């Protein structure tokens, strides 16, 4: 059975790391949730590869395909829509950010997403991490994400924010 390494927090906010055997990553996450832990990250164990004996993960990480070095409105809409979809599907926020970072077209947004991950791993909430990048994420973003976190409806809020951003972009084009 594969082994998964995890980073989680208990109810008092203490960081807990360890490993757990499970048949799937989802099963490992469910087991951690049943222990009343808040899951931050669950990654598969590294397996010795055949080529040169170097350690390779079960799923290789793809490098992002950088197309430009600025953050456009389209980039923000795609980021918001993808994050809403992944969170709605039950993927943890840190795993969602990792998935999105591998697909993002903007080098600057890629770097910001990686900083968001690091800030959240160090204990900040998502809206607090966003607030550190006010040149990219407006007060509307930060406040809506804060209310989504507080109400437990972050995926719904992000979906509505993406719709708003799309309408706003369409209006500006006209």
């Amino acid at each position: 059975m594969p082994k998964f390494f995890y980073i989680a927090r208990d109810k008092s906010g203490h960081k807990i790391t360890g490993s757990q055997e499970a048949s799937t990553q989802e099963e490992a996450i469910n087991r951690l949730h049943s222990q009343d832990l808040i899951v931050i990250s669950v990654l598969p164990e590294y397996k010795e590869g055949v080529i040169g004996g170097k350690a390779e993960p079960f799923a290789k990480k793809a490098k992002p395909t950088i197309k430009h070095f600025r953050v456009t409105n389209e980039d923000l809409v795609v980021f918001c829509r993808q994050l809403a979809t992944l969170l709605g599907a039950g993927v943890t926020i840190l795993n969602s950010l990792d998935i999105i970072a591998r697909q993002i077209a903007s080098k600057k947004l890629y770097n910001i997403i990686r900083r968001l991950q690091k800030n959240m791993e160090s204990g900040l909430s998502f809206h607090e991490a966003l607030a550190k990048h006010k040149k990219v994420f407006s007060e509307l973003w930060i406040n809506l994400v804060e209310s989504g976190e507080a109400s437990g409806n972050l995926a719904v809020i992000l979906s509505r924010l993406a719709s708003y951003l799309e309408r706003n972009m369409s209006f500006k084009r006209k």
Side-chain angles (χ1 to χ4, degrees):
M1 198 179 287
K3 191 181 260 187
F4 293 90
F5 294 99
Y6 65 87
I7 301 171
R9 294 197 182 272
D10 60 13
K11 288 189 176 188
S12 60
H14 294 94
K15 188 175 181 179
I16 299 169
T17 59
S19 64
Q20 189 170 81
E21 287 189 7
S23 57
T24 65
Q25 186 174 16
E26 185 177 309
E27 182 183 331
I29 291 170
N30 290 337
R31 285 184 187 172
L32 294 170
H33 282 297
S34 69
Q35 297 172 7
D36 291 330
L37 296 175
I38 299 167
V39 178
I40 295 173
S41 175
V42 175
L43 300 171
E45 177 185 30
Y46 285 86
K47 178 180 173 183
E48 291 299 317
V50 177
I51 303 168
K54 293 183 179 178
E56 295 182 43
F58 289 130
K60 290 185 179 181
K61 290 191 176 185
K63 291 186 179 181
T65 56
I66 304 301
K67 295 180 181 171
H68 56 272
F69 295 95
R70 63 194 185 288
V71 179
T72 63
N73 288 334
E74 290 86 5
D75 292 329
L76 291 175
V77 169
V78 169
F79 170 69
C80 191
R81 183 70 67 198
Q82 286 179 328
L83 188 57
T85 303
L86 288 167
L87 291 175
V91 179
T92 63
I93 192 161
L94 286 174
N95 285 342
S96 298
L97 291 173
D98 187 47
I99 291 166
I100 293 168
R102 287 188 243 151
Q103 301 173 2
I104 205 75
S106 166
K107 177 70 172 173
K108 185 174 182 180
L109 189 55
Y110 171 81
N111 291 331
I112 289 171
I113 291 171
R114 292 300 183 196
R115 279 188 239 127
L116 289 173
Q117 285 178 290
K118 286 180 185 175
N119 288 333
M120 291 178 67
E121 286 173 351
S122 69
L124 292 180
S125 65
F126 187 46
H127 80 273
E128 291 170 333
L130 287 176
K132 291 189 171 216
H133 304 283
K134 289 188 178 185
K135 288 184 179 181
V136 176
F137 303 106
S138 67
E139 287 294 321
L140 177 68
W141 267 80
I142 296 163
N143 292 331
L144 284 174
V145 167
E146 183 177 11
S147 68
E149 286 176 324
S151 67
N153 294 321
L154 186 57
V156 174
I157 296 290
L158 286 171
S159 180
R160 289 180 184 165
L161 178 60
S163 297
Y164 166 77
L165 292 171
E166 288 169 343
R167 285 191 310 271
N168 193 25
M169 209 168 50
S170 174
F171 177 72
K172 284 182 180 180
R173 280 190 197 135
K174 287 181 183 179

